[in-house]
PDB file of all heavy atoms in Angstrom:
ATOM      1  N   PRO X  17     102.890  97.031  97.778  1.00 34.00           N
ATOM      2  CA  PRO X  17     104.346  97.078  97.851  1.00 34.00           C
ATOM      3  C   PRO X  17     104.828  97.666  99.166  1.00 34.00           C
ATOM      4  O   PRO X  17     104.256  98.633  99.644  1.00 34.00           O
ATOM      5  CB  PRO X  17     104.736  97.969  96.669  1.00 34.00           C
ATOM      6  CG  PRO X  17     103.544  98.850  96.462  1.00 34.00           C
ATOM      7  CD  PRO X  17     102.348  98.009  96.824  1.00 34.00           C
ATOM      8  N   ARG X  18     105.832  97.050  99.745  1.00 35.00           N
ATOM      9  CA  ARG X  18     106.368  97.536 101.007  1.00 35.00           C
ATOM     10  C   ARG X  18     107.521  98.488 100.725  1.00 35.00           C
ATOM     11  O   ARG X  18     108.310  98.290  99.816  1.00 35.00           O
ATOM     12  CB  ARG X  18     106.862  96.374 101.870  1.00 35.00           C
ATOM     13  CG  ARG X  18     105.836  95.257 102.061  1.00 35.00           C
ATOM     14  CD  ARG X  18     104.596  95.739 102.777  1.00 35.00           C
ATOM     15  NE  ARG X  18     104.838  95.907 104.176  1.00 35.00           N
ATOM     16  CZ  ARG X  18     103.935  96.391 105.012  1.00 35.00           C
ATOM     17  NH1 ARG X  18     102.761  96.773 104.570  1.00 35.00           N
ATOM     18  NH2 ARG X  18     104.208  96.517 106.294  1.00 35.00           N
ATOM     19  N   ARG X  19     107.642  99.498 101.517  1.00 35.00           N
ATOM     20  CA  ARG X  19     108.626 100.543 101.293  1.00 35.00           C
ATOM     21  C   ARG X  19     109.883 100.287 102.114  1.00 35.00           C
ATOM     22  O   ARG X  19     109.818  99.932 103.285  1.00 35.00           O
ATOM     23  CB  ARG X  19     108.022 101.894 101.681  1.00 35.00           C
ATOM     24  CG  ARG X  19     108.985 103.050 101.616  1.00 35.00           C
ATOM     25  CD  ARG X  19     108.252 104.333 102.001  1.00 35.00           C
ATOM     26  NE  ARG X  19     109.188 105.419 102.126  1.00 35.00           N
ATOM     27  CZ  ARG X  19     109.870 105.674 103.230  1.00 35.00           C
ATOM     28  NH1 ARG X  19     109.725 104.919 104.282  1.00 35.00           N
ATOM     29  NH2 ARG X  19     110.707 106.695 103.272  1.00 35.00           N
ATOM     30  N   VAL X  20     111.041 100.444 101.478  1.00 30.00           N
ATOM     31  CA  VAL X  20     112.308 100.335 102.194  1.00 30.00           C
ATOM     32  C   VAL X  20     112.564 101.642 102.941  1.00 30.00           C
ATOM     33  O   VAL X  20     112.476 102.722 102.362  1.00 30.00           O
ATOM     34  CB  VAL X  20     113.464 100.036 101.228  1.00 30.00           C
ATOM     35  CG1 VAL X  20     114.785  99.987 101.969  1.00 30.00           C
ATOM     36  CG2 VAL X  20     113.202  98.727 100.495  1.00 30.00           C
ATOM     37  N   ALA X  21     112.870 101.528 104.222  1.00 32.00           N
ATOM     38  CA  ALA X  21     113.067 102.733 105.020  1.00 32.00           C
ATOM     39  C   ALA X  21     114.272 103.525 104.537  1.00 32.00           C
ATOM     40  O   ALA X  21     115.285 102.964 104.111  1.00 32.00           O
ATOM     41  CB  ALA X  21     113.248 102.351 106.488  1.00 32.00           C
ATOM     42  N   LYS X  22     114.153 104.838 104.602  1.00 35.00           N
ATOM     43  CA  LYS X  22     115.247 105.738 104.258  1.00 35.00           C
ATOM     44  C   LYS X  22     115.974 106.169 105.526  1.00 35.00           C
ATOM     45  O   LYS X  22     115.424 106.067 106.625  1.00 35.00           O
ATOM     46  CB  LYS X  22     114.700 106.970 103.533  1.00 35.00           C
ATOM     47  CG  LYS X  22     114.021 106.675 102.202  1.00 35.00           C
ATOM     48  CD  LYS X  22     113.475 107.972 101.605  1.00 35.00           C
ATOM     49  CE  LYS X  22     112.775 107.714 100.297  1.00 35.00           C
ATOM     50  NZ  LYS X  22     112.203 108.964  99.714  1.00 35.00           N
ATOM     51  N   PRO X  23     117.193 106.661 105.404  1.00 29.00           N
ATOM     52  CA  PRO X  23     117.876 107.198 106.592  1.00 29.00           C
ATOM     53  C   PRO X  23     117.023 108.242 107.283  1.00 29.00           C
ATOM     54  O   PRO X  23     116.460 109.137 106.638  1.00 29.00           O
ATOM     55  CB  PRO X  23     119.160 107.811 106.003  1.00 29.00           C
ATOM     56  CG  PRO X  23     119.402 107.034 104.745  1.00 29.00           C
ATOM     57  CD  PRO X  23     118.034 106.718 104.199  1.00 29.00           C
ATOM     58  N   GLY X  24     116.917 108.124 108.573  1.00 34.00           N
ATOM     59  CA  GLY X  24     116.100 109.056 109.337  1.00 34.00           C
ATOM     60  C   GLY X  24     114.688 108.561 109.585  1.00 34.00           C
ATOM     61  O   GLY X  24     113.992 109.094 110.434  1.00 34.00           O
ATOM     62  N   ASP X  25     114.255 107.557 108.823  1.00 32.00           N
ATOM     63  CA  ASP X  25     112.948 106.979 109.072  1.00 32.00           C
ATOM     64  C   ASP X  25     113.008 106.106 110.314  1.00 32.00           C
ATOM     65  O   ASP X  25     114.069 105.749 110.820  1.00 32.00           O
ATOM     66  CB  ASP X  25     112.491 106.116 107.891  1.00 32.00           C
ATOM     67  CG  ASP X  25     112.093 106.956 106.684  1.00 32.00           C
ATOM     68  OD1 ASP X  25     111.977 108.184 106.838  1.00 32.00           O
ATOM     69  OD2 ASP X  25     111.909 106.367 105.612  1.00 32.00           O
ATOM     70  N   MET X  26     111.833 105.723 110.800  1.00 29.00           N
ATOM     71  CA  MET X  26     111.800 104.783 111.912  1.00 29.00           C
ATOM     72  C   MET X  26     112.457 103.476 111.489  1.00 29.00           C
ATOM     73  O   MET X  26     112.260 102.997 110.368  1.00 29.00           O
ATOM     74  CB  MET X  26     110.351 104.507 112.326  1.00 29.00           C
ATOM     75  CG  MET X  26     109.690 105.663 113.029  1.00 29.00           C
ATOM     76  SD  MET X  26     110.425 105.986 114.631  1.00 29.00           S
ATOM     77  CE  MET X  26     109.912 104.530 115.526  1.00 29.00           C
ATOM     78  N   PRO X  27     113.232 102.845 112.356  1.00 28.00           N
ATOM     79  CA  PRO X  27     113.911 101.595 111.999  1.00 28.00           C
ATOM     80  C   PRO X  27     112.965 100.406 112.075  1.00 28.00           C
ATOM     81  O   PRO X  27     113.103  99.521 112.904  1.00 28.00           O
ATOM     82  CB  PRO X  27     115.015 101.497 113.058  1.00 28.00           C
ATOM     83  CG  PRO X  27     114.430 102.176 114.253  1.00 28.00           C
ATOM     84  CD  PRO X  27     113.602 103.309 113.691  1.00 28.00           C
ATOM     85  N   LEU X  28     111.990 100.379 111.161  1.00 28.00           N
ATOM     86  CA  LEU X  28     111.005  99.316 111.152  1.00 28.00           C
ATOM     87  C   LEU X  28     111.392  98.256 110.144  1.00 28.00           C
ATOM     88  O   LEU X  28     111.918  98.544 109.079  1.00 28.00           O
ATOM     89  CB  LEU X  28     109.622  99.862 110.774  1.00 28.00           C
ATOM     90  CG  LEU X  28     109.052 100.949 111.674  1.00 28.00           C
ATOM     91  CD1 LEU X  28     107.722 101.412 111.117  1.00 28.00           C
ATOM     92  CD2 LEU X  28     108.883 100.413 113.082  1.00 28.00           C
ATOM     93  N   SER X  29     111.113  96.999 110.468  1.00 27.00           N
ATOM     94  CA  SER X  29     111.204  95.936 109.487  1.00 27.00           C
ATOM     95  C   SER X  29     109.886  95.895 108.743  1.00 27.00           C
ATOM     96  O   SER X  29     108.859  95.518 109.295  1.00 27.00           O
ATOM     97  CB  SER X  29     111.456  94.591 110.191  1.00 27.00           C
ATOM     98  OG  SER X  29     111.384  93.546 109.261  1.00 27.00           O
ATOM     99  N   LEU X  30     109.904  96.315 107.474  1.00 25.00           N
ATOM    100  CA  LEU X  30     108.654  96.537 106.769  1.00 25.00           C
ATOM    101  C   LEU X  30     108.130  95.290 106.071  1.00 25.00           C
ATOM    102  O   LEU X  30     107.109  95.345 105.400  1.00 25.00           O
ATOM    103  CB  LEU X  30     108.818  97.678 105.774  1.00 25.00           C
ATOM    104  CG  LEU X  30     109.067  99.020 106.445  1.00 25.00           C
ATOM    105  CD1 LEU X  30     109.298 100.098 105.413  1.00 25.00           C
ATOM    106  CD2 LEU X  30     107.923  99.404 107.360  1.00 25.00           C
ATOM    107  N   GLY X  31     108.807  94.169 106.176  1.00 28.00           N
ATOM    108  CA  GLY X  31     108.185  92.909 105.794  1.00 28.00           C
ATOM    109  C   GLY X  31     108.266  92.574 104.323  1.00 28.00           C
ATOM    110  O   GLY X  31     109.123  93.017 103.582  1.00 28.00           O
ATOM    111  N   ASN X  32     107.315  91.743 103.902  1.00 29.00           N
ATOM    112  CA  ASN X  32     107.288  91.125 102.592  1.00 29.00           C
ATOM    113  C   ASN X  32     107.188  92.172 101.480  1.00 29.00           C
ATOM    114  O   ASN X  32     106.309  93.002 101.480  1.00 29.00           O
ATOM    115  CB  ASN X  32     106.070  90.186 102.542  1.00 29.00           C
ATOM    116  CG  ASN X  32     106.136  89.231 101.378  1.00 29.00           C
ATOM    117  OD1 ASN X  32     106.777  89.508 100.383  1.00 29.00           O
ATOM    118  ND2 ASN X  32     105.462  88.104 101.525  1.00 29.00           N
ATOM    119  N   SER X  33     108.096  92.118 100.512  1.00 30.00           N
ATOM    120  CA  SER X  33     108.066  93.075  99.416  1.00 30.00           C
ATOM    121  C   SER X  33     107.233  92.605  98.240  1.00 30.00           C
ATOM    122  O   SER X  33     107.100  93.319  97.250  1.00 30.00           O
ATOM    123  CB  SER X  33     109.493  93.358  98.929  1.00 30.00           C
ATOM    124  OG  SER X  33     110.088  92.173  98.444  1.00 30.00           O
ATOM    125  N   ASP X  34     106.694  91.406  98.288  1.00 33.00           N
ATOM    126  CA  ASP X  34     105.841  90.887  97.227  1.00 33.00           C
ATOM    127  C   ASP X  34     104.485  91.583  97.275  1.00 33.00           C
ATOM    128  O   ASP X  34     103.773  91.489  98.272  1.00 33.00           O
ATOM    129  CB  ASP X  34     105.662  89.373  97.427  1.00 33.00           C
ATOM    130  CG  ASP X  34     104.702  88.747  96.436  1.00 33.00           C
ATOM    131  OD1 ASP X  34     104.224  89.449  95.532  1.00 33.00           O
ATOM    132  OD2 ASP X  34     104.425  87.542  96.578  1.00 33.00           O
ATOM    133  N   PRO X  35     104.090  92.296  96.209  1.00 32.00           N
ATOM    134  CA  PRO X  35     102.826  93.032  96.268  1.00 32.00           C
ATOM    135  C   PRO X  35     101.617  92.141  96.433  1.00 32.00           C
ATOM    136  O   PRO X  35     100.564  92.615  96.815  1.00 32.00           O
ATOM    137  CB  PRO X  35     102.788  93.795  94.936  1.00 32.00           C
ATOM    138  CG  PRO X  35     103.726  93.058  94.049  1.00 32.00           C
ATOM    139  CD  PRO X  35     104.779  92.499  94.946  1.00 32.00           C
ATOM    140  N   HIS X  36     101.756  90.833  96.170  1.00 32.00           N
ATOM    141  CA  HIS X  36     100.643  89.912  96.362  1.00 32.00           C
ATOM    142  C   HIS X  36     100.960  88.888  97.465  1.00 32.00           C
ATOM    143  O   HIS X  36     100.288  87.872  97.596  1.00 32.00           O
ATOM    144  CB  HIS X  36     100.320  89.180  95.053  1.00 32.00           C
ATOM    145  CG  HIS X  36      99.977  90.117  93.938  1.00 32.00           C
ATOM    146  ND1 HIS X  36      98.831  90.868  93.928  1.00 32.00           N
ATOM    147  CD2 HIS X  36     100.646  90.447  92.812  1.00 32.00           C
ATOM    148  CE1 HIS X  36      98.794  91.615  92.832  1.00 32.00           C
ATOM    149  NE2 HIS X  36      99.891  91.388  92.153  1.00 32.00           N
ATOM    150  N   GLY X  37     101.984  89.188  98.246  1.00 36.00           N
ATOM    151  CA  GLY X  37     102.457  88.203  99.206  1.00 36.00           C
ATOM    152  C   GLY X  37     101.482  87.867 100.293  1.00 36.00           C
ATOM    153  O   GLY X  37     101.586  86.820 100.916  1.00 36.00           O
ATOM    154  N   GLU X  38     100.523  88.762 100.575  1.00 40.00           N
ATOM    155  CA  GLU X  38      99.615  88.512 101.670  1.00 40.00           C
ATOM    156  C   GLU X  38      98.431  87.651 101.254  1.00 40.00           C
ATOM    157  O   GLU X  38      97.669  87.188 102.083  1.00 40.00           O
ATOM    158  CB  GLU X  38      99.121  89.845 102.230  1.00 40.00           C
ATOM    159  CG  GLU X  38      98.407  89.687 103.542  1.00 40.00           C
ATOM    160  CD  GLU X  38      97.916  91.015 104.073  1.00 40.00           C
ATOM    161  OE1 GLU X  38      97.754  91.948 103.302  1.00 40.00           O
ATOM    162  OE2 GLU X  38      97.679  91.089 105.278  1.00 40.00           O
ATOM    163  N   ARG X  39      98.235  87.430  99.965  1.00 43.00           N
ATOM    164  CA  ARG X  39      97.104  86.649  99.514  1.00 43.00           C
ATOM    165  C   ARG X  39      97.241  85.219  99.982  1.00 43.00           C
ATOM    166  O   ARG X  39      98.292  84.590  99.830  1.00 43.00           O
ATOM    167  CB  ARG X  39      97.001  86.677  97.990  1.00 43.00           C
ATOM    168  CG  ARG X  39      96.953  88.083  97.412  1.00 43.00           C
ATOM    169  CD  ARG X  39      95.671  88.817  97.832  1.00 43.00           C
ATOM    170  NE  ARG X  39      95.601  90.122  97.192  1.00 43.00           N
ATOM    171  CZ  ARG X  39      95.870  91.252  97.803  1.00 43.00           C
ATOM    172  NH1 ARG X  39      96.246  91.255  99.064  1.00 43.00           N
ATOM    173  NH2 ARG X  39      95.747  92.397  97.160  1.00 43.00           N
ATOM    174  N   SER X  40      96.185  84.658 100.551  1.00 40.00           N
ATOM    175  CA  SER X  40      96.259  83.303 101.051  1.00 40.00           C
ATOM    176  C   SER X  40      96.558  82.309  99.938  1.00 40.00           C
ATOM    177  O   SER X  40      97.110  81.252 100.177  1.00 40.00           O
ATOM    178  CB  SER X  40      94.943  82.931 101.735  1.00 40.00           C
ATOM    179  OG  SER X  40      94.789  83.657 102.919  1.00 40.00           O
ATOM    180  N   GLY X  41      96.168  82.648  98.716  1.00 45.00           N
ATOM    181  CA  GLY X  41      96.441  81.758  97.608  1.00 45.00           C
ATOM    182  C   GLY X  41      97.920  81.657  97.270  1.00 45.00           C
ATOM    183  O   GLY X  41      98.329  80.781  96.517  1.00 45.00           O
ATOM    184  N   ASN X  42      98.747  82.545  97.809  1.00 51.00           N
ATOM    185  CA  ASN X  42     100.174  82.495  97.585  1.00 51.00           C
ATOM    186  C   ASN X  42     100.777  81.456  98.525  1.00 51.00           C
ATOM    187  O   ASN X  42     100.963  81.683  99.710  1.00 51.00           O
ATOM    188  CB  ASN X  42     100.785  83.878  97.843  1.00 51.00           C
ATOM    189  CG  ASN X  42     102.257  83.947  97.492  1.00 51.00           C
ATOM    190  OD1 ASN X  42     103.012  83.014  97.746  1.00 51.00           O
ATOM    191  ND2 ASN X  42     102.669  85.058  96.916  1.00 51.00           N
ATOM    192  N   LYS X  43     101.082  80.284  97.973  1.00 55.00           N
ATOM    193  CA  LYS X  43     101.537  79.170  98.807  1.00 55.00           C
ATOM    194  C   LYS X  43     102.855  79.479  99.491  1.00 55.00           C
ATOM    195  O   LYS X  43     103.090  79.049 100.625  1.00 55.00           O
ATOM    196  CB  LYS X  43     101.636  77.904  97.965  1.00 55.00           C
ATOM    197  CG  LYS X  43     100.295  77.407  97.451  1.00 55.00           C
ATOM    198  CD  LYS X  43     100.455  76.128  96.642  1.00 55.00           C
ATOM    199  CE  LYS X  43      99.100  75.650  96.131  1.00 55.00           C
ATOM    200  NZ  LYS X  43      99.221  74.398  95.327  1.00 55.00           N
ATOM    201  N   ALA X  44     103.715  80.226  98.802  1.00 50.00           N
ATOM    202  CA  ALA X  44     105.004  80.550  99.407  1.00 50.00           C
ATOM    203  C   ALA X  44     104.812  81.374 100.671  1.00 50.00           C
ATOM    204  O   ALA X  44     105.468  81.139 101.686  1.00 50.00           O
ATOM    205  CB  ALA X  44     105.873  81.296  98.396  1.00 50.00           C
ATOM    206  N   TYR X  45     103.890  82.335 100.620  1.00 60.00           N
ATOM    207  CA  TYR X  45     103.656  83.148 101.798  1.00 60.00           C
ATOM    208  C   TYR X  45     103.010  82.319 102.906  1.00 60.00           C
ATOM    209  O   TYR X  45     103.379  82.427 104.077  1.00 60.00           O
ATOM    210  CB  TYR X  45     102.781  84.352 101.459  1.00 60.00           C
ATOM    211  CG  TYR X  45     102.566  85.249 102.649  1.00 60.00           C
ATOM    212  CD1 TYR X  45     103.610  86.012 103.143  1.00 60.00           C
ATOM    213  CD2 TYR X  45     101.339  85.288 103.303  1.00 60.00           C
ATOM    214  CE1 TYR X  45     103.432  86.825 104.248  1.00 60.00           C
ATOM    215  CE2 TYR X  45     101.157  86.099 104.414  1.00 60.00           C
ATOM    216  CZ  TYR X  45     102.206  86.862 104.870  1.00 60.00           C
ATOM    217  OH  TYR X  45     102.023  87.641 105.967  1.00 60.00           O
ATOM    218  N   GLY X  46     102.039  81.465 102.545  1.00 68.00           N
ATOM    219  CA  GLY X  46     101.415  80.607 103.548  1.00 68.00           C
ATOM    220  C   GLY X  46     102.424  79.705 104.223  1.00 68.00           C
ATOM    221  O   GLY X  46     102.403  79.507 105.437  1.00 68.00           O
ATOM    222  N   ALA X  47     103.347  79.165 103.444  1.00 70.00           N
ATOM    223  CA  ALA X  47     104.378  78.306 104.026  1.00 70.00           C
ATOM    224  C   ALA X  47     105.292  79.094 104.945  1.00 70.00           C
ATOM    225  O   ALA X  47     105.736  78.605 105.990  1.00 70.00           O
ATOM    226  CB  ALA X  47     105.178  77.644 102.909  1.00 70.00           C
ATOM    227  N   ASP X  48     105.564  80.326 104.571  1.00 80.00           N
ATOM    228  CA  ASP X  48     106.432  81.161 105.387  1.00 80.00           C
ATOM    229  C   ASP X  48     105.812  81.471 106.749  1.00 80.00           C
ATOM    230  O   ASP X  48     106.514  81.787 107.700  1.00 80.00           O
ATOM    231  CB  ASP X  48     106.716  82.469 104.638  1.00 80.00           C
ATOM    232  CG  ASP X  48     107.672  83.374 105.394  1.00 80.00           C
ATOM    233  OD1 ASP X  48     108.828  82.962 105.616  1.00 80.00           O
ATOM    234  OD2 ASP X  48     107.262  84.491 105.763  1.00 80.00           O
TER     235      ASP X  48
END
């Protein structure tokens, strides 16, 4: 799971919030 930054944190774009989004078997992520 990706964490949403809080005020005062570094202004990073923390990416995909899908806990399984990085798996190659996830077609939606592969298409993205």
Side-chain angles (χ1 to χ4, degrees):
R18 308 298 284 176
R19 175 179 172 275
V20 177
K22 297 178 181 178
D25 287 349
M26 288 293 292
L28 301 177
S29 173
L30 294 177
N32 195 335
S33 62
D34 176 4
H36 302 292
E38 192 180 22
R39 305 294 184 257
S40 291
N42 186 320
K43 294 181 180 180
Y45 182 71
D48 183 62

